[in-house]
Amino acid sequence: MTAKPKLLLAMRDELPAGFFGPEEWTRLEAVTDIILRDALTDFDDPTGAAALRDADILLAAWGVPPLTEARLARAPNLKMVAYAAASVRAVAPPPFWRRDILITSAVSAMAVPVAEFTFAAIIMCGKDVFRIRDTHREQRGTGGFGTRISMDVSHLGNYRRRIGIVGASRIGRLTIEMLVHANFAVAVYDPFLSAEDAAAMGATKMDLHPLLGWSDTVSLHAPVLPETHHMIGAAELALMADNAVLINTARGWLLDHDALLPEVQSGRLRVLIDTPDPEPLPPESPLYDLPNVALTPHIAGAQGNELRRLADLAITEIERFVTGQPPLFAVSETELDRIA
């Protein structure tokens, strides 16, 4: 009988409890010999070094030490890394790619909660929920029927709302799918997307500046690349209509926060930012206190029981590898920018 490959967990200490329940452990034990059920965050101490030396498969996530050239030299049996998160940059520096090691990513699974969060944020911001919540809290039901909201505010509501998506990434595409299903008008900017492909998704392809002027809500989903740094700056923000909403669940890299500040301090724009720059914002940032700004602490990605979706994808890739099937979500070095 062929011995099972040896599996090592490498991630932050608290993550296995979120990733793995009885079903997940059973699936792993069926196809691998788990070296340790505790997660390792150090490949250089005696315990970590010995475990890495024996490992055939690494199941990794946030907190994994990078597989540097020196560490790879001490991992002669390593044949696969199943990364139960999105970008593999943390675990796979340049020397990694010189070894013939399969690496897979759970980026497709991670895209689901981010798209769900974004869709919900579009709905909630369209109703100005966060500002109205604060006003309602202050008024505490005074004034007859309670907090009065004008019925004739044209920028309030979601009927035929025009949504501009910047970046046809996995998350951008999933968000478009949800929006089209809900009968929103959707436009998308992505220099690598054809008009025909946009139309097939139910969206209209636009250049960035026309999209910003057309949209009631703009949601950012572009990758982190040198050319996307501050792609939304003062000139771009000025194109957005009064009372328009800007949502960023991608990276703060995309948005010039110095240019954003006067636009939100004036009250002209409304924003929801899950990924600021810097992250976290310093305590003295005015963005914390503005009524037209909703800040969340990078929670759009997998949280709580959503971690099980990432684990399911990673375990599926391990099962396929052990049984000789091709991977579904392998990553190559040339694809790093696409999933960063």
Short mmCIF file of all heavy atoms in Angstrom, two decimals, residues 256-300:
data_model
loop_
_atom_site.label_atom_id
_atom_site.label_comp_id
_atom_site.label_asym_id
_atom_site.label_seq_id
_atom_site.Cartn_x
_atom_site.Cartn_y
_atom_site.Cartn_z
N ASP A 256 -6.49 57.91 -4.22
CA ASP A 256 -5.73 58.99 -3.61
C ASP A 256 -6.55 59.57 -2.46
O ASP A 256 -7.49 60.34 -2.67
CB ASP A 256 -5.42 60.07 -4.65
CG ASP A 256 -4.53 61.18 -4.09
OD1 ASP A 256 -4.42 61.30 -2.85
OD2 ASP A 256 -3.98 61.95 -4.90
N HIS A 257 -6.21 59.18 -1.23
CA HIS A 257 -7.01 59.59 -0.08
C HIS A 257 -6.85 61.08 0.23
O HIS A 257 -7.76 61.70 0.79
CB HIS A 257 -6.63 58.74 1.14
CG HIS A 257 -7.17 57.36 1.07
ND1 HIS A 257 -6.79 56.46 0.10
CD2 HIS A 257 -8.07 56.70 1.85
CE1 HIS A 257 -7.42 55.31 0.28
NE2 HIS A 257 -8.20 55.43 1.33
N ASP A 258 -5.69 61.66 -0.14
CA ASP A 258 -5.53 63.11 0.04
C ASP A 258 -6.49 63.86 -0.87
O ASP A 258 -7.03 64.92 -0.49
CB ASP A 258 -4.09 63.52 -0.25
CG ASP A 258 -3.11 63.02 0.81
OD1 ASP A 258 -3.57 62.76 1.94
OD2 ASP A 258 -1.92 62.87 0.49
N ALA A 259 -6.70 63.36 -2.07
CA ALA A 259 -7.65 64.00 -2.99
C ALA A 259 -9.08 63.73 -2.56
O ALA A 259 -9.97 64.56 -2.77
CB ALA A 259 -7.42 63.48 -4.41
N LEU A 260 -9.32 62.57 -1.94
CA LEU A 260 -10.67 62.24 -1.51
C LEU A 260 -11.15 63.12 -0.37
O LEU A 260 -12.33 63.48 -0.30
CB LEU A 260 -10.71 60.77 -1.07
CG LEU A 260 -12.03 60.26 -0.49
CD1 LEU A 260 -13.10 60.23 -1.58
CD2 LEU A 260 -11.85 58.89 0.14
N LEU A 261 -10.24 63.46 0.55
CA LEU A 261 -10.64 64.14 1.78
C LEU A 261 -11.46 65.42 1.53
O LEU A 261 -12.54 65.57 2.13
CB LEU A 261 -9.41 64.44 2.64
CG LEU A 261 -9.68 64.99 4.03
CD1 LEU A 261 -10.60 64.07 4.82
CD2 LEU A 261 -8.37 65.22 4.77
N PRO A 262 -11.01 66.35 0.69
CA PRO A 262 -11.85 67.54 0.50
C PRO A 262 -13.20 67.24 -0.13
O PRO A 262 -14.18 67.94 0.13
CB PRO A 262 -10.99 68.45 -0.40
CG PRO A 262 -9.97 67.56 -1.02
CD PRO A 262 -9.73 66.46 -0.02
N GLU A 263 -13.28 66.21 -0.95
CA GLU A 263 -14.54 65.86 -1.58
C GLU A 263 -15.56 65.35 -0.56
O GLU A 263 -16.77 65.62 -0.69
CB GLU A 263 -14.32 64.80 -2.66
CG GLU A 263 -13.54 65.28 -3.87
CD GLU A 263 -14.40 66.11 -4.83
OE1 GLU A 263 -15.51 66.53 -4.45
OE2 GLU A 263 -13.94 66.33 -5.96
N VAL A 264 -15.08 64.64 0.45
CA VAL A 264 -16.02 64.15 1.46
C VAL A 264 -16.23 65.16 2.58
O VAL A 264 -17.30 65.23 3.18
CB VAL A 264 -15.58 62.78 2.03
CG1 VAL A 264 -15.73 61.71 0.96
CG2 VAL A 264 -14.16 62.80 2.57
N GLN A 265 -15.21 65.98 2.87
CA GLN A 265 -15.40 67.03 3.88
C GLN A 265 -16.43 68.05 3.42
O GLN A 265 -17.17 68.60 4.24
CB GLN A 265 -14.07 67.71 4.19
CG GLN A 265 -13.14 66.88 5.05
CD GLN A 265 -11.82 67.57 5.32
OE1 GLN A 265 -11.24 68.21 4.43
NE2 GLN A 265 -11.30 67.43 6.53
N SER A 266 -16.51 68.28 2.14
CA SER A 266 -17.52 69.20 1.61
C SER A 266 -18.91 68.58 1.61
O SER A 266 -19.91 69.29 1.44
CB SER A 266 -17.16 69.59 0.17
OG SER A 266 -17.35 68.50 -0.73
N GLY A 267 -18.98 67.26 1.75
CA GLY A 267 -20.26 66.57 1.70
C GLY A 267 -20.71 66.22 0.30
O GLY A 267 -21.81 65.67 0.12
N ARG A 268 -19.88 66.49 -0.69
CA ARG A 268 -20.31 66.29 -2.08
C ARG A 268 -20.43 64.81 -2.43
O ARG A 268 -21.34 64.41 -3.17
CB ARG A 268 -19.32 66.98 -3.03
CG ARG A 268 -19.89 67.18 -4.43
CD ARG A 268 -18.88 67.85 -5.33
NE ARG A 268 -17.84 66.95 -5.77
CZ ARG A 268 -17.99 66.07 -6.75
NH1 ARG A 268 -19.16 65.95 -7.37
NH2 ARG A 268 -16.99 65.29 -7.12
N LEU A 269 -19.50 63.99 -1.94
CA LEU A 269 -19.50 62.56 -2.25
C LEU A 269 -19.76 61.75 -0.98
O LEU A 269 -19.49 62.19 0.13
CB LEU A 269 -18.17 62.13 -2.86
CG LEU A 269 -17.77 62.76 -4.19
CD1 LEU A 269 -16.42 62.23 -4.63
CD2 LEU A 269 -18.82 62.51 -5.26
N ARG A 270 -20.28 60.54 -1.17
CA ARG A 270 -20.46 59.58 -0.09
C ARG A 270 -19.54 58.38 -0.38
O ARG A 270 -19.41 57.98 -1.53
CB ARG A 270 -21.92 59.13 0.00
CG ARG A 270 -22.88 60.27 0.32
CD ARG A 270 -24.33 59.82 0.33
NE ARG A 270 -24.84 59.58 -1.00
CZ ARG A 270 -25.75 58.65 -1.31
NH1 ARG A 270 -26.20 57.83 -0.36
NH2 ARG A 270 -26.20 58.52 -2.53
N VAL A 271 -18.91 57.84 0.65
CA VAL A 271 -17.97 56.76 0.41
C VAL A 271 -18.11 55.66 1.46
O VAL A 271 -18.51 55.92 2.60
CB VAL A 271 -16.49 57.25 0.39
CG1 VAL A 271 -16.29 58.32 -0.66
CG2 VAL A 271 -16.07 57.75 1.75
N LEU A 272 -17.79 54.45 1.04
CA LEU A 272 -17.59 53.32 1.95
C LEU A 272 -16.23 52.74 1.61
O LEU A 272 -15.98 52.35 0.46
CB LEU A 272 -18.67 52.26 1.81
CG LEU A 272 -18.57 51.09 2.81
CD1 LEU A 272 -19.95 50.56 3.17
CD2 LEU A 272 -17.71 49.94 2.27
N ILE A 273 -15.34 52.69 2.61
CA ILE A 273 -13.98 52.21 2.40
C ILE A 273 -13.72 51.06 3.35
O ILE A 273 -13.76 51.23 4.58
CB ILE A 273 -12.95 53.33 2.61
CG1 ILE A 273 -13.18 54.46 1.60
CG2 ILE A 273 -11.54 52.78 2.47
CD1 ILE A 273 -12.26 55.65 1.81
N ASP A 274 -13.44 49.90 2.80
CA ASP A 274 -13.06 48.73 3.59
C ASP A 274 -11.55 48.56 3.63
O ASP A 274 -11.02 47.91 4.52
CB ASP A 274 -13.71 47.47 3.01
CG ASP A 274 -13.53 46.25 3.89
OD1 ASP A 274 -13.90 46.32 5.08
OD2 ASP A 274 -13.02 45.24 3.40
N THR A 275 -10.87 49.15 2.64
CA THR A 275 -9.41 48.99 2.52
C THR A 275 -8.78 50.37 2.33
O THR A 275 -8.55 50.79 1.20
CB THR A 275 -9.08 48.08 1.32
OG1 THR A 275 -9.80 48.55 0.16
CG2 THR A 275 -9.47 46.65 1.59
N PRO A 276 -8.50 51.08 3.42
CA PRO A 276 -7.95 52.43 3.29
C PRO A 276 -6.45 52.41 3.03
O PRO A 276 -5.80 51.36 2.99
CB PRO A 276 -8.25 53.03 4.67
CG PRO A 276 -8.19 51.86 5.59
CD PRO A 276 -8.74 50.70 4.81
N ASP A 277 -5.90 53.59 2.87
CA ASP A 277 -4.46 53.77 2.71
C ASP A 277 -4.04 55.00 3.51
O ASP A 277 -4.49 56.10 3.19
CB ASP A 277 -4.10 53.95 1.24
CG ASP A 277 -2.59 54.06 1.02
OD1 ASP A 277 -1.83 53.53 1.85
OD2 ASP A 277 -2.17 54.69 0.04
N PRO A 278 -3.21 54.82 4.59
CA PRO A 278 -2.65 53.55 5.05
C PRO A 278 -3.72 52.71 5.75
O PRO A 278 -4.80 53.19 6.07
CB PRO A 278 -1.57 53.99 6.05
CG PRO A 278 -2.09 55.28 6.59
CD PRO A 278 -2.77 55.95 5.43
N GLU A 279 -3.36 51.45 5.98
CA GLU A 279 -4.28 50.54 6.64
C GLU A 279 -3.65 49.98 7.90
O GLU A 279 -2.62 49.30 7.81
CB GLU A 279 -4.65 49.39 5.69
CG GLU A 279 -5.71 48.48 6.25
CD GLU A 279 -6.14 47.39 5.27
OE1 GLU A 279 -5.72 47.42 4.10
OE2 GLU A 279 -6.89 46.50 5.69
N PRO A 280 -4.22 50.28 9.07
CA PRO A 280 -5.41 51.11 9.28
C PRO A 280 -5.08 52.60 9.19
O PRO A 280 -3.92 52.99 9.26
CB PRO A 280 -5.81 50.75 10.72
CG PRO A 280 -4.51 50.44 11.39
CD PRO A 280 -3.69 49.73 10.33
N LEU A 281 -6.13 53.39 9.03
CA LEU A 281 -5.94 54.83 9.05
C LEU A 281 -5.47 55.26 10.44
O LEU A 281 -5.82 54.65 11.45
CB LEU A 281 -7.26 55.53 8.73
CG LEU A 281 -7.77 55.42 7.30
CD1 LEU A 281 -9.18 55.98 7.20
CD2 LEU A 281 -6.85 56.16 6.33
N PRO A 282 -4.66 56.33 10.52
CA PRO A 282 -4.24 56.82 11.84
C PRO A 282 -5.44 57.32 12.64
O PRO A 282 -6.44 57.75 12.06
CB PRO A 282 -3.27 57.95 11.50
CG PRO A 282 -3.61 58.36 10.11
CD PRO A 282 -4.11 57.13 9.42
N PRO A 283 -5.36 57.28 13.97
CA PRO A 283 -6.50 57.67 14.81
C PRO A 283 -7.00 59.09 14.54
O PRO A 283 -8.18 59.37 14.72
CB PRO A 283 -5.96 57.54 16.23
CG PRO A 283 -4.84 56.57 16.14
CD PRO A 283 -4.23 56.78 14.78
N GLU A 284 -6.11 59.96 14.10
CA GLU A 284 -6.51 61.36 13.88
C GLU A 284 -7.14 61.61 12.51
O GLU A 284 -7.53 62.74 12.19
CB GLU A 284 -5.30 62.28 14.04
CG GLU A 284 -4.20 62.11 13.00
CD GLU A 284 -3.19 61.01 13.34
OE1 GLU A 284 -3.48 60.21 14.26
OE2 GLU A 284 -2.13 60.96 12.68
N SER A 285 -7.31 60.58 11.70
CA SER A 285 -7.89 60.79 10.37
C SER A 285 -9.31 61.33 10.46
O SER A 285 -10.16 60.78 11.17
CB SER A 285 -7.91 59.48 9.58
OG SER A 285 -8.62 59.64 8.37
N PRO A 286 -9.62 62.41 9.74
CA PRO A 286 -10.98 62.96 9.73
C PRO A 286 -12.02 62.00 9.17
O PRO A 286 -13.21 62.16 9.41
CB PRO A 286 -10.87 64.21 8.86
CG PRO A 286 -9.41 64.53 8.78
CD PRO A 286 -8.70 63.22 8.93
N LEU A 287 -11.56 61.00 8.41
CA LEU A 287 -12.51 60.09 7.77
C LEU A 287 -13.33 59.30 8.79
O LEU A 287 -14.45 58.89 8.50
CB LEU A 287 -11.78 59.13 6.84
CG LEU A 287 -11.10 59.74 5.61
CD1 LEU A 287 -10.33 58.69 4.84
CD2 LEU A 287 -12.11 60.44 4.71
N TYR A 288 -12.78 59.10 9.98
CA TYR A 288 -13.52 58.35 11.00
C TYR A 288 -14.82 59.05 11.40
O TYR A 288 -15.78 58.39 11.82
CB TYR A 288 -12.66 58.16 12.26
CG TYR A 288 -11.59 57.11 12.15
CD1 TYR A 288 -10.24 57.48 12.14
CD2 TYR A 288 -11.90 55.75 12.08
CE1 TYR A 288 -9.24 56.52 12.06
CE2 TYR A 288 -10.91 54.79 12.00
CZ TYR A 288 -9.59 55.18 11.99
OH TYR A 288 -8.60 54.22 11.91
N ASP A 289 -14.84 60.37 11.32
CA ASP A 289 -15.92 61.14 11.94
C ASP A 289 -16.90 61.77 10.97
O ASP A 289 -17.89 62.36 11.40
CB ASP A 289 -15.31 62.25 12.82
CG ASP A 289 -14.39 61.68 13.89
OD1 ASP A 289 -14.84 60.77 14.60
OD2 ASP A 289 -13.24 62.14 13.99
N LEU A 290 -16.65 61.65 9.68
CA LEU A 290 -17.53 62.31 8.72
C LEU A 290 -18.81 61.49 8.52
O LEU A 290 -18.75 60.27 8.36
CB LEU A 290 -16.81 62.47 7.38
CG LEU A 290 -15.65 63.48 7.39
CD1 LEU A 290 -14.84 63.39 6.11
CD2 LEU A 290 -16.16 64.90 7.61
N PRO A 291 -19.97 62.15 8.52
CA PRO A 291 -21.23 61.41 8.43
C PRO A 291 -21.46 60.74 7.09
O PRO A 291 -22.25 59.80 6.99
CB PRO A 291 -22.28 62.49 8.70
CG PRO A 291 -21.62 63.77 8.30
CD PRO A 291 -20.18 63.61 8.65
N ASN A 292 -20.78 61.21 6.06
CA ASN A 292 -20.94 60.64 4.72
C ASN A 292 -19.85 59.63 4.38
O ASN A 292 -19.69 59.24 3.22
CB ASN A 292 -20.97 61.76 3.66
CG ASN A 292 -19.79 62.71 3.78
OD1 ASN A 292 -19.33 63.01 4.87
ND2 ASN A 292 -19.31 63.21 2.65
N VAL A 293 -19.10 59.18 5.39
CA VAL A 293 -18.04 58.19 5.20
C VAL A 293 -18.33 56.99 6.10
O VAL A 293 -18.53 57.14 7.30
CB VAL A 293 -16.66 58.77 5.55
CG1 VAL A 293 -15.59 57.68 5.43
CG2 VAL A 293 -16.32 59.94 4.64
N ALA A 294 -18.38 55.81 5.49
CA ALA A 294 -18.49 54.56 6.25
C ALA A 294 -17.17 53.82 6.12
O ALA A 294 -16.72 53.52 5.01
CB ALA A 294 -19.64 53.70 5.73
N LEU A 295 -16.53 53.56 7.25
CA LEU A 295 -15.27 52.82 7.28
C LEU A 295 -15.49 51.45 7.91
O LEU A 295 -16.11 51.35 8.97
CB LEU A 295 -14.22 53.57 8.08
CG LEU A 295 -13.77 54.93 7.56
CD1 LEU A 295 -12.77 55.55 8.52
CD2 LEU A 295 -13.16 54.80 6.17
N THR A 296 -14.99 50.42 7.26
CA THR A 296 -14.99 49.08 7.85
C THR A 296 -13.56 48.55 7.83
O THR A 296 -12.79 48.89 6.93
CB THR A 296 -15.93 48.12 7.09
OG1 THR A 296 -15.63 48.17 5.68
CG2 THR A 296 -17.39 48.52 7.30
N PRO A 297 -13.18 47.74 8.82
CA PRO A 297 -11.77 47.34 8.98
C PRO A 297 -11.38 46.10 8.19
O PRO A 297 -11.03 45.06 8.75
CB PRO A 297 -11.66 47.11 10.49
CG PRO A 297 -13.02 46.62 10.88
CD PRO A 297 -13.99 47.35 9.99
N HIS A 298 -11.45 46.20 6.85
CA HIS A 298 -11.02 45.13 5.95
C HIS A 298 -11.76 43.82 6.27
O HIS A 298 -11.14 42.78 6.52
CB HIS A 298 -9.51 44.92 6.05
CG HIS A 298 -8.91 44.31 4.82
ND1 HIS A 298 -7.66 44.63 4.35
CD2 HIS A 298 -9.39 43.39 3.94
CE1 HIS A 298 -7.39 43.94 3.26
NE2 HIS A 298 -8.43 43.18 2.98
N ILE A 299 -13.08 43.89 6.24
CA ILE A 299 -13.90 42.73 6.58
C ILE A 299 -14.63 42.15 5.38
O ILE A 299 -15.38 41.18 5.53
CB ILE A 299 -14.93 43.07 7.69
CG1 ILE A 299 -15.88 44.18 7.22
CG2 ILE A 299 -14.21 43.44 8.97
CD1 ILE A 299 -17.05 44.40 8.17
N ALA A 300 -14.43 42.72 4.18
CA ALA A 300 -15.16 42.21 3.02
C ALA A 300 -14.76 40.78 2.69
O ALA A 300 -15.58 39.98 2.24
CB ALA A 300 -14.95 43.12 1.82
#
